[in-house]
Amino acid sequence: MDWEIVVGLETHTQLLTESKIFSGASTAFGAEPNTQASAVDLALPGVLPVLNAKAVEFAVRLGLAIGATISPRSVFARKNYFYPDLPKGYQISQYELPVVQHGTLKIAVEGGEKTVRILRAHLEEDAGKSLHEDFKGLSGIDLNRAGTPLLEIVTEPDLRGAKEAVAYAKALHSLVRWIGICDGNMQEGSFRCDANVSVRRPGAPLGTRCEIKNLNSFRFMEQAIEYEARRQVELIEDGGTVVQETRLYDPDRNETRSMRSKEDAQDYRYFPDPDLLPLVINEAEIERIRALLPELPQAKRERFARDYGLAAYDAAQLTASRESADFFEDLVRASRAEPKTCANWQTGEFAAALNRDGLEVGHSPVGAEALGALLRRIADGTISGKIAKEVFEAMWRREAEGPGAADAIIEARGLEQISDTGAIEKMVDEVLAANARQVEDYRAGKEKAFNSLVGQVMKAAKGKANPGQVNAILKKKLGG
Amino acid sequence: MSLDLEQIRRIARLARIAVSDAEAADTAASLSGVLGLIGEMQAVDTTGIEPMAHALDAQVSSAQRLREDKAVEPDRRTAYQASAPAVQDGLYLVPRVVE
Amino acid sequence: MLNASLSEMSAALESRKISSVELTQLFLGRIAKLNGELNAFITADAPRALKDAAAADARRATGQSGPLLGIPVAHKDIFCTEGIRTTCGSKMLADFVSPYDAHVISRFGAAGAVLLGKTNMDEFAMGSSNESSYFGAVKNPWRRSAVPGGSSGGSAAAVAARMAPAATGTDTGGSIRQPASFTGVCGVKPTYGVVSRYGMIAFASSLDQGGPMGKGAADLAALLNVMAGFDARDSTSLDRPPEDYARDLERPVAGLRIGLPREYFGDGVDADVAARVQDAIRWFEGQGAKTVEITLPNTKLAVPVYYVLAPAEASSNLSRFDGVRYGHRAAEYADLYEMYCKSRAEGFGAEVKRRILVGTYVLSHGYYDAYYLQAQKIRRLIAGDFSDAFAQCDVIMGPVAPTTAYEAGAMSGDPVKMYLGDIFTIPASLAGLPGMSIPCGFDSKGLPVGLQAIGNYFSEARLLNVAHQYQKATDWHIRVPDAFPL
């Protein structure tokens, strides 16, 4: 009998605020240790927290984007535990009353779409970092990250298997960047996932779960969940039972292992933080934030399919990020070409080039204006589609830049298409004269010979002859 | 209400306060006295009463004031670390943190 | 000058009869002479005080003036002061020098007051007798074998012995009012949220409130005018228009409705204390005030509620003292866990540890609802008692404490007995109401008795008015202990 893998994800997203959640220190990444740790972040005696308005706005933004309830009143609590990277000895977090509750996110799964329920999203502060190298057996504590705002987004155990978990994580990753609340940088820890994994027989109640930490890439997430599920299945099949615990994923060994240090009889002694009053968000504020929300991925996907007549797959690809979707609409405008042609170029040549160089849309050497100008040159017969690819590569290498790049390259390389009937006829005549054998074959009914003759003409024209004209003239001469 | 030594040790562990075996017995007695005092609350019927988390939440319509998102704090590491027991290269040093 | 009111001192400074430097030297001399005996100050920084005084004199020379310009003020060592150590009465912070000033300290600085020194206190403000300070007990100037009360006992003793014209204190469950009562000085705990807690080392955040201590109510009004005010760095600071706390000082008390809670005049109150308080109330009646008997039925629950909430908040507030970024760190330890446990066991005294452990226990898994949540619910009942009472009266009067100052050591070993001594001050703290202690006479041993006046929210000006009218007719507040003549 089969096993079903049940996964719930908890995602910590660092919010893109300028300052920390409870202090005016900068959140910029990569500063010298402890130079961005203010008195509040260091928990000096006597200091007090004051909540950052932007962090609240970002939480509401996410809540609206996932169709969730925004709590009119939510409460900050203290989660008490000792750790050197936690200066106050407690983390300010939301416990019983989070700011966002009960939303959903649609993800693409095999055979269609699936709605994942999001239980809650709550605001909290990040901890600092412990560094273990170079201190002769000691750890060095850097509190620059302490107090960085986090939005922890928690799903119901709705995901089935590693692939679905990754699909959800990717959709959420795209969404938080889309709505501009998180930069999504997984290397720098801006988007961190923990997975609660359990296994069960289909239809059976939920099994005992283990929480896996340290999933800092989508690949690791998939591997870790698969490993952990296998471990649990083997354990159960060997007659054992799964113990609820926190486990750390080790990507070097591709295994999860128990974190004993976290098991020190956790008792966080949550209670409402007396330094902070309840967070009250009224309807007017919610509507103000809603009005600022960009068109969301799903709405955009549907509009692209409908208004541009694109296939669902193309629409999904083009709306994978807000930058990509914006690029497409700019391209349609600039090229005045068929949206389908634009989509083919963007998901074809353009995407391949980005991929090859590991670039994001926003960092492409070829902008939508420039690419649009290139497509216009195809439409007006200046160049063929094939030559256009050559021009595109040259643009990518920055042989010329800006909206006039395509024209400049076409001119510099003399790539303008030959449409002079006389010139093409002359080339056709020469090819026919030199290839009597193929002419015979064609006339004997071998259609393939025609293609060969077209090829010869194009070769003679160095690819620049208008292919339609070549075809027409050849047909006329051979038929004549 | 009284606490046994095992409970005292558990609380002391959570609070990160070393309590010797000799102190534990005294602590148990003194905490039990305090718990006896606060036990007087147990008999009160508080059905339907909202907990009061802030001194003013009975009086003022209390809502959290928000701060504008501005990075305004200067780097004062040297001043802040002047009272630190152990620092190196700008980092606070502690015994090895075990993951 | 040592026994002058702040307005008299200010007038003398303004008329150049004395300079701030001279005035400051006068009090520094008094501190040098008496502190060895009374231990009211942990740190008296004479060079710093004289520098402040010289700056105040310079400001006055340029034509500036102000009620506190050039007046020396002592600060409870719970307020962070940049450049002067801030110990909170604890070994944990024995060498801690704050890199910033508390809001209250900045306000006094801006007003041109002279920072005279930092006063002794119960460790982390946890205590009612000032015996839990790491820097030694404070003596009551009226009887050196007795305690001065706590936790602002150093500030109270300093004012009582005229080592400072005025001082700041903090009150969580009575820590301004009770030592004021025990030492015959005046003190007000404002409405919660009126004085910023920024830079005031936290004991129990939902209760802590700073306030002034001085000889008379008019002095307190001048001090509160400086201390009070909105501070964006404290989320619980109230953004209200500034008010002049002296505006009502001269208002007559005729027609004042005084509520006398039945629970504040029952068994357990010393006969002398009850008699002096009754005398004072009779004086008000003589002036045309009306008394009305009221009831605060949940009074006896206030102490248990307080000893759940305050330790719970404290256990969390004091977690930051872990020996990592500042404060005491044990000399030897095997690992991180032991560093924490030993540093905290060594750095904290017995009472602080007791309260941290109680607080940890009541918040721990399985007990939260029965203790913490139940206490918060009863806290609302207690606040409700007051709101019912203020429908019938303008001000509530009663004793500050059931007794006068007791002998040092009398309560040690029995924390619960000491806790019960706060029964009349804790309720107003739980409700967030303003309250003050007004000297109203002496018991048969010659120890001061304090009359407590509790007002409705934001009625500080009214309380000060009531006290000021009484003090215009009495001299309890300007009497000086025989042992420390001027």
Side-chain angles (χ1 to χ4, degrees):
Chain A
M1 206 164 54
D2 276 349
W3 289 92
E4 185 176 58
I5 303 169
V6 178
V7 183
L9 285 185
E10 296 173 10
T11 309
H12 291 84
T13 54
Q14 273 185 7
L15 298 177
L16 268 177
T17 55
E18 179 182 321
S19 65
K20 295 194 178 170
I21 185 166
F22 296 117
S23 87
S26 168
T27 53
F29 182 83
E32 283 294 301
N34 291 310
T35 54
Q36 288 176 180
S38 71
V40 171
D41 306 320
L42 294 172
L44 291 186
V47 298
L48 296 168
V50 184
L51 184 57
N52 184 335
K54 200 79 177 185
V56 175
E57 176 167 342
F58 283 173
V60 173
R61 225 186 257 184
L62 177 93
L64 294 174
I66 59 169
T69 306
I70 309 299
S71 306
R73 185 175 168 279
S74 61
V75 170
F76 285 94
R78 293 183 180 180
K79 179 181 183 179
N80 293 283
Y81 65 95
F82 284 88
Y83 211 70
D85 64 11
L86 187 74
K88 294 187 293 296
Y90 57 84
Q91 179 196 31
I92 305 178
S93 178
Q94 295 192 304
Y95 183 54
E96 280 182 332
L97 280 171
V99 60
V100 170
Q101 298 185 75
H102 308 302
T104 57
L105 188 63
K106 285 207 170 87
I107 61 169
V109 293
E110 253 175 79
E113 226 179 27
K114 172 169 182 164
T115 300
V116 180
R117 290 172 301 159
I118 292 173
L119 176 65
R120 58 186 280 158
H122 65 256
L123 285 164
E124 61 184 28
E125 56 182 339
D126 209 342
K129 283 181 184 167
S130 308
L131 309 170
H132 308 302
E133 280 82 40
D134 309 328
F135 299 107
K136 301 188 183 84
L138 303 175
S139 292
I141 308 298
D142 175 9
L143 296 170
N144 279 348
R145 197 180 66 178
T148 298
L150 295 177
L151 189 63
E152 181 175 341
I153 304 160
V154 182
T155 73
E156 298 278 7
D158 281 359
L159 301 159
R160 298 290 171 270
K163 288 212 159 46
E164 273 192 28
V166 170
Y168 162 81
K170 283 183 171 169
L172 182 65
H173 185 252
S174 159
L175 179 66
V176 296
R177 291 161 76 215
W178 187 284
I179 60 177
I181 66 169
C182 173
D183 67 16
N185 190 327
M186 295 176 86
Q187 270 90 52
E188 291 177 8
S190 302
F191 187 92
R192 317 196 286 267
C193 297
D194 299 337
N196 284 298
V197 179
S198 62
V199 298
R200 66 172 172 186
R201 300 293 188 188
L206 288 174
T208 305
R209 68 191 150 89
C210 289
E211 185 183 2
I212 314 171
K213 292 203 171 282
N214 198 28
L215 308 175
N216 53 17
S217 80
F218 296 127
R219 193 164 58 93
F220 291 164
M221 177 186 292
E222 186 166 342
Q223 289 170 356
I225 293 171
E226 274 168 1
Y227 171 87
E228 176 60 18
R230 212 161 46 236
R231 185 189 73 86
Q232 293 184 14
V233 166
E234 282 168 14
L235 190 63
I236 296 167
E237 286 181 342
D238 290 349
T241 47
V242 177
V243 180
Q244 187 168 336
E245 63 180 354
T246 303
R247 299 177 68 85
L248 188 73
Y249 178 63
D250 180 345
D252 296 335
R253 298 182 177 183
N254 186 28
E255 63 178 29
T256 65
R257 61 167 187 269
S258 184
M259 288 173 77
R260 268 154 312 173
S261 62
K262 286 265 170 190
E263 280 175 60
D264 180 21
Q266 284 303 357
D267 185 343
Y268 291 124
R269 290 159 283 137
Y270 282 99
F271 74 107
D273 191 331
D275 288 330
L276 292 162
L277 299 166
L279 171 62
V280 173
I281 304 172
N282 61 35
E283 272 303 313
E285 178 64 4
I286 293 172
E287 290 316 310
R288 185 188 69 81
I289 296 168
R290 194 194 301 278
L292 296 172
L293 212 57
E295 185 183 23
L296 295 173
Q298 195 177 345
K300 202 170 279 253
R301 203 155 60 228
E302 287 163 10
R303 182 170 63 81
F304 273 27
R306 190 179 61 238
D307 293 2
Y308 294 119
L310 299 177
Y313 180 79
D314 284 347
Q317 268 200 298
L318 291 169
T319 56
S321 75
R322 214 165 125 192
E323 291 73 22
S324 164
D326 289 348
F327 188 93
F328 175 73
E329 296 201 279
D330 289 345
L331 181 59
V332 169
R333 252 191 311 277
S335 67
R336 293 172 228 133
E338 279 297 312
K340 178 65 188 161
T341 307
C342 295
N344 286 346
W345 266 86
Q346 192 176 331
T347 59
E349 301 300 315
F350 184 73
L354 285 176
N355 204 26
R356 190 181 59 213
D357 292 357
L359 292 176
E360 298 285 329
V361 175
H363 298 110
S364 158
V366 178
E369 282 290 328
L371 184 56
L374 176 63
L375 300 195
R376 277 211 306 279
R377 291 296 164 259
I378 302 172
D380 68 13
T382 306
I383 52 171
S384 68
K386 195 163 168 228
I387 292 287
K389 289 178 186 174
E390 182 189 331
V391 177
F392 176 77
E393 286 305 323
M395 289 163 74
W396 195 266
R397 288 192 303 270
R398 300 180 196 270
E399 273 182 30
E401 292 182 73
D407 286 345
I409 289 165
I410 291 166
E411 200 191 322
R413 294 193 171 195
L415 295 174
E416 192 166 335
Q417 192 158 258
I418 301 164
S419 304
D420 174 347
T421 311
I424 296 174
E425 280 191 348
K426 189 165 168 270
M427 284 188 280
V428 168
D429 287 343
E430 281 167 17
V431 166
L432 291 180
N435 293 279
R437 172 97 177 267
Q438 274 93 334
V439 175
E440 297 254 313
D441 286 350
Y442 174 74
R443 286 184 175 145
K446 289 188 181 166
E447 283 291 323
K448 269 191 185 166
F450 184 79
N451 293 337
S452 162
L453 289 166
V454 171
Q456 296 282 344
V457 176
M458 291 304 281
K459 193 176 166 189
K462 295 187 178 114
K464 292 186 291 183
N466 182 315
Q469 278 177 295
V470 171
N471 267 340
I473 290 169
L474 248 182
K475 275 233 165 82
K476 194 180 75 187
K477 297 226 176 214
L478 286 168
Chain B
M1 184 75 212
S2 66
L3 292 178
D4 60 39
L5 292 184
E6 197 33 57
Q7 284 174 299
I8 294 290
R9 287 196 193 93
R10 190 183 67 84
I11 302 164
R13 209 160 45 233
L14 277 174
R16 297 291 189 273
I17 291 177
V19 177
S20 70
D21 288 348
E23 288 169 324
D26 278 354
T27 307
S30 125
L31 290 202
S32 297
V34 179
L35 293 176
L37 170 74
I38 64 186
E40 288 171 27
M41 302 185 315
Q42 302 305 320
V44 182
D45 181 6
T46 51
T47 317
I49 309 284
E50 270 291 298
M52 179 172 161
H54 293 277
L56 289 177
D57 85 349
Q59 170 63 18
V60 187
S61 66
S62 49
Q64 181 57 53
R65 195 167 8 88
L66 303 178
R67 197 189 85 245
E68 198 188 345
D69 179 31
K70 281 246 168 77
V72 293
E73 289 286 342
D75 167 21
R76 295 192 62 204
R77 185 174 78 181
T78 309
Y80 291 157
Q81 293 191 338
S83 307
V87 286
Q88 184 186 322
D89 304 337
L91 294 149
Y92 295 97
L93 293 187
V94 296
R96 185 83 168 205
V97 177
V98 198
E99 272 296 332
Chain C
M1 236 349 112
L2 284 170
N3 203 25
S5 71
L6 297 188
S7 65
E8 286 162 354
M9 286 183 197
S10 185
L13 288 165
E14 186 63 24
S15 66
R16 309 296 198 273
K17 280 195 189 114
I18 192 168
S19 70
S20 174
V21 167
E22 289 161 345
L23 186 64
T24 302
Q25 275 165 340
L26 195 61
F27 284 100
L28 287 171
R30 184 93 174 153
I31 293 168
K33 195 165 120 200
L34 304 184
N35 200 49
E37 203 163 347
L38 293 173
N39 201 25
F41 283 82
I42 291 173
T43 305
D45 185 345
R48 154 78 192 241
L50 292 169
K51 204 170 126 238
D52 283 2
D57 286 334
R59 277 174 69 173
R60 200 177 291 280
T62 67
Q64 295 183 49
S65 66
L68 294 189
L69 181 61
I71 306 254
V73 177
H75 294 289
K76 185 175 181 178
D77 207 16
I78 199 168
F79 290 102
C80 287
T81 46
E82 191 172 348
I84 304 169
R85 71 176 174 159
T86 300
T87 69
C88 224
S90 181
K91 178 181 180 183
M92 183 59 85
L93 293 178
D95 302 312
F96 176 70
V97 178
S98 170
Y100 75 99
D101 276 336
H103 181 78
V104 161
I105 300 295
S106 304
R107 301 276 297 209
F108 275 106
V114 173
L115 198 164
L116 193 56
K118 308 289 296 287
T119 59
N120 206 342
M121 55 183 285
D122 277 302
E123 184 180 7
F124 285 101
M126 298 178 190
S128 309
S129 66
N130 228 305
E131 293 168 287
S132 77
S133 171
Y134 173 67
F135 298 89
V138 178
K139 304 277 166 39
N140 191 321
W142 294 95
R143 186 185 173 94
R144 276 156 287 172
S145 59
V147 302
S151 67
S152 311
S155 287
V159 174
R162 306 305 189 244
M163 297 157 80
T168 56
T170 62
D171 190 314
T172 304
S175 280
I176 286 176
R177 290 161 287 164
Q178 184 257 22
S181 170
F182 279 15
T183 59
V185 306
C186 218
V188 63
K189 179 202 93 76
T191 305
Y192 183 85
V194 162
V195 172
S196 168
R197 294 185 296 115
Y198 194 83
M200 196 176 106
I201 299 175
F203 160 18
S205 312
S206 80
L207 297 156
D208 295 342
Q209 188 59 199
M213 304 177 80
K215 293 184 289 290
D219 287 4
L220 297 190
L223 294 162
L224 195 53
N225 277 343
V226 168
M227 287 181 86
F230 174 64
D231 179 10
R233 296 170 303 179
D234 173 1
S235 295
T236 62
S237 170
L238 293 166
D239 194 358
R240 309 176 78 246
E243 55 180 296
D244 175 10
Y245 292 101
R247 68 183 184 274
D248 285 337
L249 285 178
E250 298 306 332
R251 186 174 161 185
V253 295
L256 179 75
R257 296 174 304 162
I258 300 173
L260 303 177
R262 187 186 308 152
E263 295 77 9
Y264 285 36
F265 292 91
D267 294 342
V269 179
D270 275 4
D272 279 356
V273 170
R276 294 294 85 74
V277 169
Q278 296 287 7
D279 291 346
I281 290 164
R282 262 194 297 281
W283 179 87
F284 283 102
E285 285 176 320
Q287 301 300 303
K290 297 197 166 35
T291 57
V292 48
E293 189 179 318
I294 57 164
T295 176
L296 300 170
N298 292 294
T299 299
K300 68 174 191 314
L301 292 168
V303 175
V305 165
Y306 178 85
Y307 279 96
V308 171
L309 298 180
E313 293 181 15
S315 70
S316 176
N317 282 335
L318 270 61
S319 291
R320 67 187 58 198
F321 302 103
D322 59 4
V324 174
R325 297 163 316 285
Y326 50 78
H328 176 75
R329 183 187 283 199
E332 282 174 30
Y333 38 81
D335 55 19
L336 179 66
Y337 176 80
E338 201 178 289
M339 185 194 90
Y340 282 146
C341 294
K342 284 178 76 175
S343 299
R344 289 165 60 81
E346 294 168 10
F348 294 137
E351 182 61 24
V352 171
K353 284 191 262 194
R354 174 158 42 240
R355 295 200 197 186
I356 290 175
L357 293 174
V358 168
T360 303
Y361 178 77
V362 298
L363 287 175
S364 65
H365 186 69
Y367 302 101
Y368 180 80
D369 286 7
Y371 288 114
Y372 191 79
L373 216 54
Q374 174 76 346
Q376 283 199 327
K377 290 174 180 175
I378 302 175
R379 182 176 186 179
R380 190 173 296 283
L381 295 178
I382 290 167
D385 285 356
F386 282 107
S387 98
D388 292 347
F390 283 118
Q392 304 168 63
C393 64
D394 306 310
V395 58
I396 293 170
M397 284 186 185
V400 172
T403 67
T404 54
Y406 40 81
E407 292 296 294
M411 301 285 188
S412 55
D414 192 352
V416 171
K417 195 172 162 199
M418 187 186 292
Y419 297 171
L420 289 169
D422 296 334
I423 185 161
F424 302 138
T425 48
I426 284 175
S429 291
L430 289 171
L433 292 165
M436 71 178 294
S437 177
I438 308 159
C440 66
F442 294 85
D443 71 0
S444 56
K445 292 176 293 213
L447 288 167
V449 177
L451 166 72
Q452 183 173 216
I454 299 167
N456 212 337
Y457 298 101
F458 310 114
S459 68
E460 289 81 2
R462 184 67 162 148
L463 293 179
L464 293 166
N465 153 238
V466 166
H468 181 66
Q469 291 304 308
Y470 177 71
Q471 289 175 337
K472 286 206 314 190
T474 58
D475 68 351
W476 309 118
H477 65 294
I478 46 173
R479 293 210 191 168
V480 178
D482 293 340
F484 304 99
L486 299 174

